[in-house]
Amino acid sequence: MTPLLRGRAGPARRRPLDEESARWLHELAGDGRQREEAVRRLHALLVRVSTREVHRRGHRLDLSGPELDDIAYQAAADATIAVTAKLSQFRGESRFTTWAYAFAVFEVSAKVARHFWARPGARLADEQWAQLPARFGFQPDQEAQWRELLAALRRAVEQQLTERQRRVFVAVVLNDEPMDTLALELSTSRNALYKTLFDARRKLRAALVADGHLASPTEEAVSGWSALERFLRTDPHDVGCDEAMKVMHLYVELVTADPQHARQQFAGLAAHLEACGPCGEDFDGLLAAVRKVPDER
């Protein structure tokens, strides 16, 4: 990661374990029938989280019914294994269930990415430049203005980006390929792809500003082009995907209590969630789980 993506997501102070979290840890770290029963309850809880999450994302999966439930059960099973294997890593900075929910949400993301990867026709070979105006909300009556802007953007993509940056930009931005699916295709990670796209956005914005097509960072964006301008803007405090996923459970609990304070305390994470679609999706899912899934014992 470059210095632009370094930085703490926010301070996390260790707090005394709440009674429920302490009980989960005690029972899961035990042995015999007590542990078996705790694992069974944990799995049932994560099935509810995963099921809610796959149905929340279902409209984009072209799946329904048993197929969605199958993804949910696979995600819950893998999340249960991960949680029990990493009990020693739970630091008590959030409720145990919030920490465990995050594993389920991340597993759903992974399973959804593999679904797209395996689906015939999921990836487009051609660059879909014609779709870009609609994706950024350009109005037909402004075509004379945005056509020139998009022509400049295309030149910058071809001339300013490295081959890998260009490939990632085309796949994610033009062809609307999910970043996690692209990570599978390229045998890399979400964080590595986000870093590549982060650097590409920074280069493209600088090129367009230099040519007079966008406002500079200290000026207001040109009317009608704000969506593109926001996409190209990068925040030096952005912590990246790996750090965001490590502390997302902490941030979610703060958001449920005091959203404004959460954004102040975790400014780097908040900046990242605004810019990264996959991490933003995971955050929405984890927040929904914390608010809606009962922690049944």
Side-chain angles (χ1 to χ4, degrees):
M1 238 176 231
T2 67
L4 280 175
L5 286 179
R6 288 178 186 154
R8 297 180 61 189
R13 297 179 180 177
R14 182 180 291 275
R15 67 183 187 186
L17 278 181
D18 62 278
E19 183 177 346
E20 182 189 17
S21 295
R23 187 164 59 247
W24 273 113
L25 287 179
H26 173 73
E27 294 178 2
L28 288 170
D31 52 26
R33 297 185 62 178
Q34 183 184 60
R35 183 180 186 279
E36 291 177 2
E37 176 61 19
V39 171
R40 185 197 64 76
R41 290 198 308 271
L42 175 64
H43 178 257
L45 185 62
L46 297 186
V47 166
R48 291 196 293 275
V49 174
S50 299
T51 300
R52 176 181 290 275
E53 183 63 5
V54 295
H55 282 275
R56 190 182 70 85
R57 304 188 190 204
H59 66 283
R60 294 189 300 280
L61 299 180
D62 194 26
L63 292 175
S64 61
E67 292 177 300
L68 282 179
D69 292 337
D70 185 54
I71 292 176
Y73 273 87
Q74 291 177 32
D78 288 347
T80 301
I81 292 172
V83 169
T84 54
K86 297 180 179 180
L87 284 179
S88 62
Q89 297 180 21
F90 178 64
R91 294 171 53 82
E93 295 162 342
S94 72
R95 291 183 301 159
F96 174 82
T97 50
T98 304
W99 181 73
Y101 290 173
F103 284 87
V105 171
F106 296 153
E107 286 293 342
V108 167
S109 284
K111 299 297 183 290
V112 167
R114 290 192 177 278
H115 166 74
F116 274 103
W117 173 242
R119 191 177 66 184
R123 299 176 299 285
L124 302 175
D126 299 327
E127 298 181 7
Q128 303 295 302
W129 283 97
Q131 307 300 321
L132 206 57
R135 287 177 186 162
F136 283 106
F138 291 130
Q139 299 301 314
D141 59 358
Q142 296 179 323
E143 182 174 356
Q145 295 173 298
W146 57 251
R147 184 173 294 277
E148 180 181 355
L149 172 62
L150 292 190
L153 176 62
R154 187 167 188 170
R155 286 195 302 273
V157 168
E158 294 171 350
Q159 298 173 8
Q160 301 296 324
L161 302 187
T162 66
E163 181 178 353
R164 185 171 183 83
Q165 288 171 343
R166 191 159 51 247
R167 182 176 183 182
V168 172
F169 180 90
V170 167
V172 174
V173 181
L174 299 187
N175 296 348
D176 200 26
E177 184 172 347
M179 192 181 298
D180 287 339
T181 302
L182 183 62
L184 288 173
E185 179 183 347
L186 299 180
S187 300
T188 187
S189 67
R190 177 194 294 185
N191 189 68
L193 285 186
Y194 182 77
K195 167 65 170 59
T196 299
L197 190 58
F198 182 98
D199 291 343
R201 288 160 49 211
R202 184 180 53 175
K203 284 184 179 180
L204 295 174
R205 179 180 170 81
L208 292 180
V209 169
D211 289 343
H213 291 290
L214 282 180
S216 69
T218 58
E219 298 173 350
E220 293 184 1
V222 178
S223 176
W225 297 342
S226 58
L228 176 60
E229 197 275 341
R230 284 195 305 272
F231 168 74
L232 295 178
R233 186 186 303 145
T234 54
D235 190 322
H237 299 103
D238 188 324
V239 297
C241 301
D242 284 351
E243 184 68 15
M245 294 171 75
K246 287 178 184 177
V247 299
M248 194 176 292
H249 57 293
L250 311 181
Y251 184 64
V252 161
E253 288 202 348
L254 281 177
V255 167
T256 60
D258 188 340
Q260 184 175 357
H261 176 64
R263 288 184 60 86
Q264 292 172 348
Q265 189 173 3
F266 285 80
L269 176 54
H272 178 74
L273 294 178
E274 290 180 359
C276 180
C279 287
E281 187 79 78
D282 289 345
F283 167 76
D284 290 342
L286 183 55
L287 184 63
V290 168
R291 287 175 169 171
K292 297 177 181 179
V293 176
D295 298 344
E296 294 182 4
R297 292 288 297 168

